[in-house]
Amino acid sequence: MDTATAARRFVGVWRRAWAAHDVEAILELYADGCVHRSMPFREPHRGRDELGAYLRWSFASEHPIDVRFSEPLVGEDGLAVAEFRVLAEEDGRPSTLAGCVFVRFDARGLAVETRDYWHSIPESVSALPWQTT
């Protein structure tokens, strides 16, 4: 699968699955031996089992209201990046999480490595300077 197709599928599934907290749909995007880094100084999640545990933990107190991803930017050698924004309620309070994900895909279009960089604030911020999908 070419990188552009894999990247569009990645952000589309993530958008829908994050909104529904559908961990299984997200995990189907990843290769078995994937490595996911959720923040620069955290230990990486290795493999789909660790990634699934992290996602379930992350979703536990979150009620998503609006999930958006930018159109992915595609580079060479299976690399892509996309921005994301999530309006949610966390423990009954509004929150906004915004960041970007860097993805490296294998030839089958599965994510073998992802890195997220994000920040959240305890309020609802809906305007972003990029077109969302």
Side-chain angles (χ1 to χ4, degrees):
M1 178 181 297
D2 71 89
T3 303
T5 301
R8 283 191 301 276
R9 181 183 65 135
F10 186 87
V11 300
V13 170
W14 253 101
R15 181 183 53 80
R16 289 185 303 276
W18 193 336
H21 286 175
D22 186 349
V23 172
E24 295 308 313
I26 293 169
L27 292 177
E28 289 178 14
L29 296 168
Y30 289 81
D32 289 334
C34 65
V35 176
H36 171 75
R37 289 174 176 82
S38 64
M39 287 294 277
F41 302 111
R42 289 183 180 172
E43 288 295 314
H45 306 100
R46 298 184 183 281
R48 292 171 64 171
D49 289 342
E50 285 188 19
L51 176 56
Y54 166 71
L55 292 172
R56 288 180 190 89
W57 172 81
S58 294
F59 292 160
S61 64
E62 175 193 80
H63 173 71
I65 297 166
D66 186 43
V67 178
R68 297 185 185 210
F69 277 76
S70 70
E71 184 68 26
L73 301 174
V74 178
E76 297 178 9
D77 301 321
L79 298 173
V81 63
E83 292 181 284
F84 56 85
R85 196 259 350 250
V86 178
L87 299 177
E89 286 186 358
E90 298 221 22
D91 298 319
R93 291 174 293 210
S95 69
T96 303
L97 183 142
C100 59
V101 57
F102 294 81
V103 186
R104 185 168 53 87
F105 297 100
D106 65 13
R108 299 171 298 160
L110 296 175
V112 293
E113 182 179 10
T114 54
R115 294 173 184 258
D116 291 348
Y117 297 91
W118 53 267
H119 185 71
S120 61
I121 58 172
E123 59 187 83
S124 182
V125 179
S126 60
L128 287 178
W130 38 266
Q131 183 67 26
T132 59
T133 57

